[in-house]
């Protein structure tokens, strides 16, 4: 993998050492004296230089906005280096349609967003003080153990998208060809040393591994590279913790984090010392103080297990509410359609297009976690619910699958699954396989499924045709432009369960309540004719409603 385009070691990002002043960093006393005795003209020159930089940045922002208004596809390359936008994220500048609403939640999320082009590091100590303030700057590392090199690079670019979503700045990345991970350092001794050199050269403070690290592997690798090391699972859990909004969602994420943390606890120095049992006097000894005690790590483990048990009880207490709503829909025979798919494939955009739900839409992975349920109806008046579920990803952490099982049950209990696929992604088949593996874990493989090939406005037509050959039940759409939406609505109308009992009813004019029931969304009115004795209606209803209207049935 090539290095990122800009490193902290470049000329524009160099900082003078503490104690040095101005551009002369030779440490002479003359330089110190001259920096302390700046004339008014020199101070004004520093201020002018700062204002000129701000003006140039403002002009660049305005030029980008003008270019975006003229052409949303302008300057979009077919591939990007690792330091740029990841391939798992759409390269379009315009991501929203009129159906997405005002997106106030997105504005709130972006209210404090780091921009890589606006450094917080001071370039001149005459500017108030010497300081350095930055968010995590990361280097990525992964293994190429199967598939092609393109597959390995796509996986690393997806990891880069996850890191950017978590708020990090990706500086560099490397991929190692290896049959299986090294038991000690995951990458092997030589590659770990190479990673250490890259971390030192780029000034990174975190290394993210594209895989799951054993506690011993993480500890050994940190000893080599001398910075914090996290794995893919920890990164995804961090994103979930940032984006979970509902009470149930936050509890599910916290439970998943604790399940991940429990086997990875470790301590240093006095934190591993044993706690004295019994009574401890002022001198730290005495009767009752002699005993093995309990280590700090054991106390932490006990606290985590106690907290996990409490969270499981809370999640179990929230489950009946969701099951009650689901039972009400089943009792009223309202068909349920679940929108599922890979993260950032366009699930929320599609829900907004079909129902005007106005849920958050962001060009980022796992932008929305909390499921949204909206009721709509087909063109012939048959009502059904649309459920926007949490997005999936390759190697979705098992802790998340278990913690979000009550949410994922919305997919398993649906009458139809709209499996949305990003047709513009480099590996759409891999996305389909990853999503179906989660379907298998929650018991949803038997549910009827429609493959929706989204982002048709930017996808390669050859890729779309290839996918249509492999998936017999498919619809090509663009949730952003509206292409193919009518065809999708027809496919949904044909696939959801329809009322199965056909009746001919004669409804007296004084029984408008019965006719009102037939106009509700759980019945299909085939024909209506107003006669002398009442309304003659040919309808198709469900079995429970058929029993209610039995007194008005006209037998042949």
């Amino acid at each position: 993998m090539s290095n990122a385009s800009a490193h902290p070691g470049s000329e524009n990002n160099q900082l003078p050492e503490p104690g040095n002043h101005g551009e002369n960093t030779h440490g002479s006393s003359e330089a110190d004296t001259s920096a302390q005795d700046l004339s008014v003209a020199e101070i004004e020159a520093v201020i002018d230089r700062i204002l000129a930089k701000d003006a140039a940045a403002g002009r660049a922002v305005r030029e980008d906005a003008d270019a975006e208004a003229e052409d949303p596809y302008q300057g979009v390359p077919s591939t990007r280096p690792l330091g740029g936008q990841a391939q798992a994220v759409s390269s379009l500048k315009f991501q929203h349609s009129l159906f997405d609403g005002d997106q106030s939640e997105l504005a709130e999320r972006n209210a404090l967003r780091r921009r890589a082009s606006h450094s917080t590091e001071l370039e001149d100590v005459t500017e108030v003080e010497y300081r350095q303030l930055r968010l995590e700057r990361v280097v990525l590392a992964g293994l190429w153990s199967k598939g092609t090199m393109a597959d390995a690079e796509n996986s690393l670019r997806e990891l880069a998208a996850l890191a950017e979503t978590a708020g990090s700045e990706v500086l560099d990345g490397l991929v190692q060809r290896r049959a299986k991970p090294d038991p000690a350092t995951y990458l092997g001794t030589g590659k770990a040393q190479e990673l250490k050199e890259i971390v030192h050269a780029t000034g990174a403070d975190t290394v993210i591994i594209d895989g799951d690290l054993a506690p011993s592997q993480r500890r050994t690798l940190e000893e080599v590279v001398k910075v914090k090391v996290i794995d893919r699972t920890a990164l995804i859990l961090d994103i979930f913790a940032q984006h979970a909004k509902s009470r149930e969602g936050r509890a599910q994420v916290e439970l998943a984090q604790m399940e991940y943390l429990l086997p990875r606890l470790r301590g240093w120095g006095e934190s591993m010392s044993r706690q004295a049992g019994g009574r401890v006097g002022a001198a730290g000894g005495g009767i009752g103080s002699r005993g093995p005690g309990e280590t700090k790590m054991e106390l932490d483990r006990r606290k985590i297990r106690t907290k996990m048990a409490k969270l499981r009880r809370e999640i179990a207490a929230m489950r009946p509410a969701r099951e009650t709503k689901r039972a009400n829909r089943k009792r009223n025979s309202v068909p349920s359609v679940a929108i599922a798919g890979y993260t950032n494939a366009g699930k929320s955009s599609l829900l907004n297009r079909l129902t005007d739900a106005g849920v958050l839409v962001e060009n980022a992975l796992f932008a929305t976690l909390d499921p949204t349920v909206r009721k709509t109806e087909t063109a012939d008046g048959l009502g059904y619910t649309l459920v926007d579920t949490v997005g999936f990803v390759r190697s979705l952490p098992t802790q998340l699958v278990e913690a979000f099982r009550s949410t994922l049950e919305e997919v398993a209990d649906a009458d139809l699954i709209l499996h949305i696929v990003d047709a513009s992604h480099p590996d759409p088949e891999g996305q389909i396989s990853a999503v179906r593996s989660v379907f298998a874990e929650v018991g949803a493989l038997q549910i009827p499924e429609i493959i929706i090939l989204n982002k048709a406005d930017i996808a390669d037509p050859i890729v779309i045709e290839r996918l249509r050959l492999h998936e017999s039940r498919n619809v090509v759409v663009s949730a952003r432009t509206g292409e193919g939406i009518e065809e999708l609505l027809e496919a949904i109308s044909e696939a959801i369960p329809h009322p199965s009992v056909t009746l001919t009813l004669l409804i007296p004019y004084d029984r408008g309540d019965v006719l009102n029931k037939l106009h509700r969304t759980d019945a299909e009115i085939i024909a209506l004719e107003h006669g002398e004795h009442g309304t003659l209606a040919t309808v198709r209803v469900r079995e429970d409603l058929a029993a209610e209207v039995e007194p008005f049935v006209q037998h042949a």
Side-chain angles (χ1 to χ4, degrees):
M1 299 297 294
S2 61
N3 290 354
S5 58
H7 290 164
S10 62
E11 183 178 352
N12 292 334
N13 288 320
Q14 286 181 342
L15 290 175
E17 296 294 331
N20 296 337
H21 302 276
E23 296 181 358
N24 187 355
T25 57
H26 296 291
S28 65
S29 61
E30 295 179 359
D32 296 340
T33 304
S34 62
Q36 295 172 359
D37 299 329
L38 291 174
S39 65
V40 175
E42 289 172 327
I43 294 175
E44 291 178 350
V46 171
I47 296 174
D48 292 340
R49 186 167 70 251
I50 296 173
L51 295 177
K53 288 168 57 180
D54 292 342
R59 286 195 301 272
V61 171
R62 288 193 296 271
E63 290 171 1
D64 289 344
D66 294 340
E68 181 176 330
E70 293 175 2
D71 183 8
Y73 297 90
Q74 184 176 0
V76 178
S78 57
T79 59
R80 289 181 177 266
L82 182 62
Q85 192 177 48
Q87 289 188 12
V89 179
S90 173
S91 55
L92 275 181
K93 294 183 179 180
F94 290 157
Q95 301 296 331
H96 297 97
S97 67
L98 296 176
F99 294 86
D100 293 327
D102 58 4
Q103 292 293 304
S104 57
E105 186 179 350
L106 179 60
E108 178 184 351
R109 179 176 293 182
N110 292 333
L112 185 61
R113 179 75 71 172
R114 184 181 188 275
R115 289 292 300 274
S117 59
H118 300 292
S119 175
T120 58
E121 300 177 1
L122 296 179
E123 299 179 0
D124 196 324
V125 292
T126 59
E127 301 173 22
V128 185
E129 63 179 358
Y130 173 83
R131 62 191 173 111
Q132 185 176 8
L133 175 64
R134 63 188 183 189
L135 296 181
E136 287 181 295
R137 300 153 63 87
V138 303
V139 171
L140 312 179
L143 292 183
W144 173 21
S145 56
K146 59 182 179 180
T148 64
M149 184 61 186
D151 295 334
E153 290 192 353
N154 287 336
S155 177
L156 205 65
R157 285 191 171 91
E158 182 178 273
L159 187 69
L162 290 168
E164 291 164 2
T165 302
S168 301
E169 179 186 358
V170 179
L171 302 177
D172 207 342
L174 60 88
V175 176
Q176 181 192 19
R177 180 72 162 126
R178 191 181 182 93
K180 59 181 181 179
D182 179 68
T185 62
Y186 188 81
L187 298 173
T189 304
K191 190 61 68 172
Q193 288 295 332
E194 181 181 341
L195 180 61
K196 177 183 178 181
E197 295 173 0
I198 294 175
V199 168
H200 179 73
T202 58
D205 50 27
T206 304
V207 170
I208 303 178
I209 300 297
D210 190 17
D212 290 329
L213 290 177
S216 60
Q217 289 175 324
R218 191 182 76 162
R219 182 167 56 250
T220 305
L221 193 56
E222 281 185 347
E223 292 174 354
V224 175
V225 299
K226 306 301 182 184
V227 296
K228 181 174 66 175
V229 176
I230 63 174
D231 58 13
R232 181 187 179 90
T233 298
L235 178 61
I236 294 176
L237 289 173
D238 183 81
I239 296 172
F240 272 60
Q242 292 182 47
H243 293 175
K245 296 294 183 183
S246 67
R247 179 167 170 260
E248 183 178 11
R250 290 196 298 268
Q252 290 168 333
V253 172
E254 187 176 359
L255 176 60
Q257 286 179 316
M258 289 190 171
E259 287 180 345
Y260 173 80
L261 177 64
L262 185 59
R264 291 169 172 81
L265 280 182
R266 55 179 176 173
W268 297 267
E270 293 183 358
S271 65
M272 288 294 293
S273 61
R274 293 189 175 273
Q275 312 296 308
R279 183 181 61 186
V280 180
I287 298 174
S289 66
R290 290 177 288 272
E294 195 169 25
T295 65
K296 178 67 164 56
M297 186 180 296
E298 289 169 345
L299 290 173
D300 290 342
R301 285 199 180 106
R302 185 195 299 174
K303 291 178 181 177
I304 289 178
R305 290 192 184 99
T306 303
K307 181 65 175 177
M308 287 172 60
K310 180 181 178 182
L311 288 171
R312 287 194 178 99
R313 289 194 297 269
E314 291 180 359
I315 294 173
M318 300 175 200
R319 188 173 301 168
R322 185 179 297 277
E323 291 177 348
T324 299
K325 295 178 182 178
R326 197 180 300 140
N328 287 337
R329 294 198 296 267
K330 289 184 177 181
R331 183 170 60 252
N332 295 326
S333 302
V334 178
S336 175
V337 179
I339 303 176
Y342 212 79
T343 179
N344 206 43
K347 298 182 297 300
S348 297
S349 297
L350 183 64
L351 180 69
N352 289 343
R353 172 69 67 167
L354 297 179
T355 66
D356 293 326
V359 298
L360 182 142
V361 173
E362 184 179 8
N363 186 26
L365 306 188
F366 297 115
T368 52
L369 300 179
D370 300 316
T372 303
V373 182
R374 291 292 185 271
K375 193 170 184 178
T376 185
E377 60 182 42
T378 62
D380 54 0
L382 181 62
Y384 62 94
T385 58
L386 273 172
V387 184
D388 179 20
T389 61
V390 63
F392 304 144
V393 74
R394 179 183 59 85
S395 303
L396 188 68
T398 55
Q399 295 93 341
L400 284 175
V401 176
E402 289 301 319
F404 280 78
R405 184 166 294 276
S406 61
T407 302
L408 295 176
E409 286 174 356
E410 295 283 357
V411 179
D413 290 339
D415 297 298
L416 175 67
I417 295 176
L418 302 183
H419 182 172
I420 187 166
V421 180
D422 181 0
S424 66
H425 190 271
D427 184 22
E429 288 90 352
Q431 286 193 350
I432 295 174
S433 176
V435 172
R436 284 177 174 164
S437 66
V438 180
F439 286 171
E441 291 189 50
V442 298
L445 285 178
Q446 76 282 0
I447 307 297
E449 174 188 26
I450 297 178
I451 294 290
I452 301 176
L453 304 177
N454 192 28
K455 305 184 183 180
D457 53 326
I458 59 174
D460 187 345
I462 297 177
V463 175
I464 292 178
E465 290 303 319
R466 185 184 73 212
L467 292 171
R468 298 192 72 174
L469 288 175
H470 288 286
E471 303 293 339
S472 58
R473 202 173 188 182
N474 62 81
V475 180
V476 180
V477 306
S478 170
R480 191 178 69 89
T481 65
E483 175 186 347
I485 295 299
E486 291 299 326
E487 182 182 352
L488 173 60
L489 291 174
E490 293 177 3
I492 295 174
S493 179
E494 294 174 359
I496 60 177
H498 283 249
S500 56
V501 182
T502 304
L503 299 172
T504 300
L505 307 175
L506 181 61
I507 305 171
Y509 287 120
D510 60 350
R511 293 302 305 272
D513 59 316
V514 177
L515 192 60
N516 180 57
K517 283 186 178 181
L518 297 177
H519 279 288
R520 292 189 316 184
T521 56
D522 54 359
E524 291 183 73
I525 298 179
I526 302 173
L528 280 178
E529 181 180 347
H530 300 287
E532 180 180 355
H533 302 288
T535 301
L536 188 64
T538 303
V539 297
R540 188 177 293 116
V541 297
R542 306 189 190 279
E543 293 182 358
D544 55 342
L545 185 57
E548 292 185 33
V549 299
E550 176 66 27
F552 308 99
V553 174
Q554 294 293 295
H555 298 283

